[in-house]
Amino acid sequence: SSGINAEYGGYGDMGVYYPPYNGDSLGAAAVTRALEREAAAGGLDFVLHFGDISYARGRGYIWDQFMTQMTTLSEQVPYMVGVGNHEYDHVSGGDKDPSGAPENGFHPEWGNYGDDGGGECGVPTSHRYISPDNGNGVFWYSFDYGLVHVIQISSENDFRPGTRQYEWLEKDLKSVDRASTPWVVVTSHRPLYTSQ
C-alpha cells in the first residue's frame, strides 16, 4: 500500500469490445485504454469492478475476449471484481452456484432478479478471479489499501439481516480500525437505494 494515497478506478457494467464481435459496450475499449494509461503513469493503484463484468451470459468465448481486453491493465494493477446480475442471476442450476446460496439464488419480490446470468451462476467469475479469503470469494470480501478499507458485497446474494452475508458484513465493519483506515468504501452491483 502507498500509505496516505489510494487512487483507484471503480465502476460496474463494462462488457467487451473486441473485433469482430462488437459486444454490448462500445465504450469498453476506450475505458480500458484510459485506465491502462492512468496505471502506466502511476496514477492508479487498483481497479474495483463491481459487477456486470464481461456480459458473457454463458458464452465462454466472450469471457476469453474480455480477459484479453483486460490483460494489459490487469498486468499493471490488481483488478478486483464482484458479481453482478449478468454473472450470477439464475432461476435453475442452483446446485452449481459456488456462493452457497440456497436453491436458485436470491429473488426478492421487490426486485427484478431473474435469469440475467445466462446459466453462469457465478461459476466462470469465481474461477477467473481470486479474492481475499476473508469472506465468500468474489461474492463478498474486504481488503485494506492505504487509509481505505474496501468492502465488496453482493447485491445478487441475500443481504438481509440474519443471512450469511449480512452477518459477515456486520463483523467486518466492527473489525475496521478507523485509526488505520478512516475511510470505508462499500460497493455492490445494484444500488441499495434509488429514487426511480
Side-chain angles (χ1 to χ4, degrees):
S1 120
S2 62
I4 295 176
N5 293 328
E7 298 178 32
Y8 66 95
Y11 55 85
D13 302 274
M14 174 68 126
V16 65
Y17 182 76
Y18 194 83
Y21 172 72
N22 291 331
D24 294 314
S25 177
L26 298 179
V31 170
T32 303
R33 300 296 90 79
L35 289 168
E36 288 171 357
R37 287 190 301 274
E38 190 69 22
L44 191 62
D45 295 313
F46 64 91
V47 172
L48 187 59
H49 188 159
F50 34 91
D52 285 5
I53 300 169
S54 72
Y55 286 93
R57 297 183 192 105
R59 297 169 291 182
Y61 73 95
I62 295 177
W63 268 113
D64 292 344
Q65 290 174 344
F66 181 81
M67 299 305 279
T68 298
Q69 173 181 296
M70 304 311 291
T71 297
T72 301
L73 178 62
S74 60
E75 287 173 344
Q76 294 173 309
V77 296
Y79 196 83
M80 308 301 290
V81 303
V83 297
N85 55 309
H86 288 105
E87 289 82 46
Y88 181 77
D89 284 7
H90 56 92
V91 294
S92 64
D95 57 319
K96 297 172 183 67
D97 179 351
S99 76
E103 299 174 14
N104 287 314
F106 184 47
H107 298 278
E109 63 185 36
W110 41 263
N112 63 343
Y113 293 66
D115 193 22
D116 302 336
E120 289 192 0
C121 306
V123 173
T125 309
S126 66
H127 286 286
R128 282 177 168 79
Y129 294 97
I130 298 170
S131 300
D133 63 1
N134 62 357
N136 190 18
V138 296
F139 302 98
W140 57 86
Y141 60 88
S142 67
F143 63 94
D144 293 337
Y145 191 92
L147 299 175
V148 181
H149 182 73
V150 178
I151 301 171
Q152 172 65 48
I153 61 171
S154 172
S155 58
E156 308 313 302
N157 292 84
D158 198 344
F159 51 83
R160 295 173 293 183
T163 63
R164 286 178 37 220
Q165 182 173 202
Y166 183 93
E167 290 174 1
W168 173 85
L169 177 60
E170 190 172 51
K171 181 179 176 184
D172 188 77
L173 286 168
K174 286 178 181 176
S175 73
V176 175
D177 178 356
R178 297 302 290 263
S180 300
T181 52
W183 297 95
V184 176
V185 174
V186 179
T187 67
S188 71
H189 179 61
R190 297 175 194 247
L192 297 181
Y193 171 79
T194 180
S195 60
Q196 295 182 1

